[in-house]
Every structure is written in C-alpha cells, then in structure tokens.
Amino acid sequence: MSENIVTMLDQAAIAQRVAELGAQITAEYKDRPLVLIVVLKGSFVFAADLARAIDLPLRIDFLGVRSYGEGTESSGVVQITQDLSRPIEGEDVIIVEDIVDTGLTVAHLVDLLRTRQPRSVKICSLLHKPARARVHVAVDYLGFTIEDKFVIGYGLDFAERYRNLPYIGVVERA
Ligand code: IMP
Ligand code: MG
C-alpha cells in the first residue's frame, strides 16, 4: 500500500492562526491566571505552540482521553486514560483540542470538568468538522473549519502514525 499525503493546511497557515488565537485569548483573559487543559494525545503539538502564543500567568495540565480504536469512526465512548494532576476548582480553564469531529469527546469533557467547579470552562480547538457533528458544541476559540476528510499531522494520527508531520494533511491511498 503506498500512501500519498496531500497538504490541507501548511505550516505557515497554522502558525499564523495559532498566533491569532493566542493573542485573542491573551486579550480576553487580560492578566487573569488561566489553566490550559491539553487533551492527549492529539493536542500536544497544537498546545505547545498555543501556550507560547499566550501571554498570561498560565498553568498547563494534561488529560488523557481515548475516543477511537484503531479506526476512523468515533465510538462515542470516551475513556479517561490519564487524569489532571491538580484540582481546577475556582479556576478559569480552556480545554485544548486538536479537532472537534462528532463533538462527543469534548461535550463529555466539559460535563466532566464542570463537576469539579472551575470558575469557567471554554473550548479551544484547532479544527472543527461541522459536517459530522452529533452533539452541538460551541467552540469558543477555533482555528479552522474543515470539510469532512480524515486529517493527520500536527499531532493528529491515523492508527498512531503521522503525529509528527509538521503540517495538516489528508492521506490518499494509491
Ligand atoms: P469526536 O469525539 O468525534 O469529536 O472526536 C474527537 C477525537 O477524535 C479528536 O480529538 C481526535 O483525536 C479524533 N479525530 C476526529 N477526527 C479526526 C481526524 O480527521 N483525524 C485524526 N483524528 C481525528
Ligand atoms: Mg483528540
């Protein structure tokens, strides 16, 4: 099987948009402390760039989540594989996602985090595929709306591969 990767969003386009998101978050939270909750594994690359584009007293924590098996369809089952390292009670938090697809994962995470009584919970996602939404999710900070294609790179995987690609692409099978 040979694979051909077609670029959907190149490094420059991603960098520019991430800088804009960081500036927007910095302006909206002013000098308030903020917690970024990085949803592993897919968001690790985006979060690393986003965090450096935010000029606030920032804390970063990680939440391990598995919503897919080896395939490309959401099971709708969200498994927490690693919990936050500290409480978020009274804190302003932003969930950092790579992509909102069916919306099931992030909707579940918002519900879960609200039970811990943070001051506020917002969602930042690099990508959104509205064509596949199964629950309505308001993404507060959104990088790009994309068409219904399975994308890889910049943290996103297909069966755990391609997370290290520096751009977002689509795999085409030849
Ligand atoms: P959702 O629960 O369907 O919104 O999907 C959430 C998770 O599925 C994302 O955080 C990704 O990890 C994964 N996912 C959804 N669409 C894609 C894709 O096009 N490429 C790679 N991973 C995806
Ligand atoms: Mg993910």
Side-chain angles (χ1 to χ4, degrees):
M1 179 179 74
S2 77
E3 294 160 338
N4 182 34
I5 298 169
V6 178
T7 304
M8 180 186 269
L9 295 165
D10 67 20
Q11 282 180 262
I14 296 169
Q16 153 114 41
R17 193 70 192 110
V18 172
E20 289 168 1
L21 289 172
Q24 188 188 349
I25 290 168
T26 302
E28 288 183 16
Y29 287 80
K30 305 225 162 48
D31 287 325
R32 293 199 333 255
L34 177 66
V35 183
L36 288 188
I37 296 185
V38 181
V39 183
L40 297 174
K41 298 181 231 174
S43 304
F44 82 106
V45 177
F46 173 44
D49 286 342
L50 180 69
R52 287 176 289 177
I54 296 174
D55 183 13
L56 292 171
L58 195 68
R59 194 161 79 69
I60 301 174
D61 209 338
F62 300 92
L63 195 57
V65 161
R66 183 154 43 213
S67 57
Y68 275 11
E70 299 285 286
T72 60
E73 284 301 309
S74 186
S75 62
V77 178
V78 180
Q79 185 189 349
I80 303 294
T81 58
Q82 182 190 311
D83 205 344
L84 300 177
S85 66
R86 287 177 56 176
I88 53 168
E89 187 176 347
E91 311 230 47
D92 287 308
V93 310
I94 297 182
I95 300 172
V96 180
E97 262 289 18
D98 49 359
I99 184 165
V100 175
D101 184 26
T102 63
L104 292 168
T105 303
V106 84
H108 177 86
L109 294 182
V110 169
D111 288 348
L112 172 76
L113 295 179
R114 279 199 199 288
T115 66
R116 301 180 185 186
Q117 273 125 30
R119 183 164 184 261
S120 66
V121 181
K122 289 200 175 184
I123 299 167
C124 176
S125 183
L126 179 67
L127 305 173
H128 187 208
K129 262 193 243 177
R132 301 210 350 129
R134 283 175 57 191
V135 288
H136 174 74
V137 172
V139 180
D140 302 283
Y141 304 100
L142 174 62
F144 303 91
T145 298
I146 61 167
E147 56 184 308
D148 185 8
K149 294 206 166 147
F150 193 82
V151 291
I152 47 137
Y154 199 69
L156 291 116
D157 74 305
F158 173 59
E160 294 299 329
R161 278 187 61 203
Y162 304 110
R163 293 194 196 274
N164 55 324
L165 270 189
Y167 57 91
I168 305 249
V170 180
V171 186
E172 300 202 333
R173 295 226 165 64

